[in-house]
C-alpha cells in the first residue's frame, strides 16, 4: 500500500495539476512585483548612406537611446494586486493538500476493496467446494431412496449459486485491481 500511495503522489494528474497551478500563481506574484522595479529600455540604430548626385558624399549615423522609467506612485494598486496574487497562491497550496488527501483516501479505499475481493474469493472457493460435496452426498442419498429429486435439484441450485458467487468475486477482484491502478 505504501508503494501505491507513493505512485499516486508522484503521478496523479490532479496532484500534478494542482502543483502546476501553484507554480503559475508564484510566477504571477513575481511578475506583479516586477512592476515596482525600474524599467530600462535601450534602442539603437545605425544607418549609412551615399549621395551621388554632385559628388560622392558618404554619411554614417549611429543613434543610441536609453530610457529609464522609475515608478513613484501607483496609489496602492500594484500592492493590492500582489496581496491578491499571494492569496491566490495560498489557495493553490491548499488545493494541493486537498488533492493529496483525496487521492490518499481513494488509494486506501481501493486497497481495502482489493483485499476484500481477495478474501471473498477464498471464501467463495470454499463455498463451491462445500456445495459440490453436499451435492454428491444428496445424489448418493437419492440413489438409496432417502432423498427426493427435489432435494437433488435444491442441492444443484446451491452449487450453481456458489459458482456464480465465485465468478462474481473474481470479477470484483479485477474491478478492484483496475480501481487501484
Amino acid at each position: 500500500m505504501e508503494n501505491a500511495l507513493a505512485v499516486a503522489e508522484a503521478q496523479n494528474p490532479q496532484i500534478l495539476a494542482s502543483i502546476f497551478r501553484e507554480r503559475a500563481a508564484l510566477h504571477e506574484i513575481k511578475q506583479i512585483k516586477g512592476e515596482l522595479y525600474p524599467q530600462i529600455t535601450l534602442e539603437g540604430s545605425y544607418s549609412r548612406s551615399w549621395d551621388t548626385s554632385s559628388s560622392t558624399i558618404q554619411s554614417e549615423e549611429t543613434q543610441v537611446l536609453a530610457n529609464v522609467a522609475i515608478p513613484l506612485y501607483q496609489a496602492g494598486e500594484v500592492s493590492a494586486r500582489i496581496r491578491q496574487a499571494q492569496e491566490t497562491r495560498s489557495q493553490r497550496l491548499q488545493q494541493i493538500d486537498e488533492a493529496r488527501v483525496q487521492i490518499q483516501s481513494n488509494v486506501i479505499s481501493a486497497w481495502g476493496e482489493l483485499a476484500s475481493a481477495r478474501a471473498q474469493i477464498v471464501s467463495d472457493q470454499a463455498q463451491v467446494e462445500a456445495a459440490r460435496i453436499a451435492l454428491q452426498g444428496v445424489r448418493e442419498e437419492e440413489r438409496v431412496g432417502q432423498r427426493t429429486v427435489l432435494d437433488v435439484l435444491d442441492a444443484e441450485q446451491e452449487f450453481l449459486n456458489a459458482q456464480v458467487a465465485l465468478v462474481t468475486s473474481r470479477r470484483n477482484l479485477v474491478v478492484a485491481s483496475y480501481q487501484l491502478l
Side-chain angles (χ1 to χ4, degrees), residues 1-62:
M1 184 162 63
E2 290 78 21
N3 188 25
L5 288 170
V7 168
E9 175 84 20
Q11 297 179 358
N12 188 276
Q14 292 173 344
I15 294 174
L16 295 176
S18 296
I19 289 171
F20 287 126
R21 282 193 294 268
E22 184 272 332
R23 287 182 187 167
L26 182 62
H27 289 296
E28 184 178 359
I29 292 170
K30 290 179 181 179
Q31 178 186 4
I32 296 171
K33 282 183 179 179
E35 293 177 19
L36 295 174
Y37 300 136
Q39 295 180 354
I40 300 172
T41 57
L42 183 64
E43 296 177 22
S45 65
Y46 173 78
S47 65
R48 179 186 241 177
S49 62
W50 290 273
D51 185 9
T52 59
S53 58
S54 60
S55 65
T56 305
I57 301 173
Q58 179 180 356
S59 66
E60 292 184 20
E61 184 178 325
T62 304

Side-chain angles (χ1 to χ4, degrees), residues 10 12 14 17 19 43 52 56 65 79 113 131 139-140 146 154 161 170 174:
N12 188 276
Q14 292 173 344
I19 289 171
E43 296 177 22
T52 59
T56 305
L65 177 64
S79 299
E113 289 177 20
R139 283 182 178 160
E140 290 298 318
Q146 291 190 344
D154 286 340
N161 289 345
R170 287 181 178 158
V174 171

Side-chain angles (χ1 to χ4, degrees), residues 45-124:
S45 65
Y46 173 78
S47 65
R48 179 186 241 177
S49 62
W50 290 273
D51 185 9
T52 59
S53 58
S54 60
S55 65
T56 305
I57 301 173
Q58 179 180 356
S59 66
E60 292 184 20
E61 184 178 325
T62 304
Q63 184 178 16
V64 177
L65 177 64
N67 187 12
V68 178
I70 301 173
L72 297 176
Y73 180 70
Q74 291 87 21
E77 188 261 334
V78 175
S79 299
R81 288 195 355 240
I82 289 172
R83 287 191 303 274
Q84 181 183 14
Q86 288 171 338
E87 285 300 318
T88 301
R89 180 175 181 250
S90 69
Q91 289 175 353
R92 300 294 187 237
L93 288 170
Q94 288 175 351
Q95 289 174 352
I96 291 171
D97 293 337
E98 289 172 6
R100 284 183 176 141
V101 168
Q102 180 65 39
I103 297 306
Q104 287 175 353
S105 173
N106 290 348
V107 168
I108 291 170
S109 174
W111 188 267
E113 289 177 20
L114 182 65
S116 172
R118 287 178 179 159
Q120 187 64 41
I121 286 177
V122 171
S123 172
D124 288 344

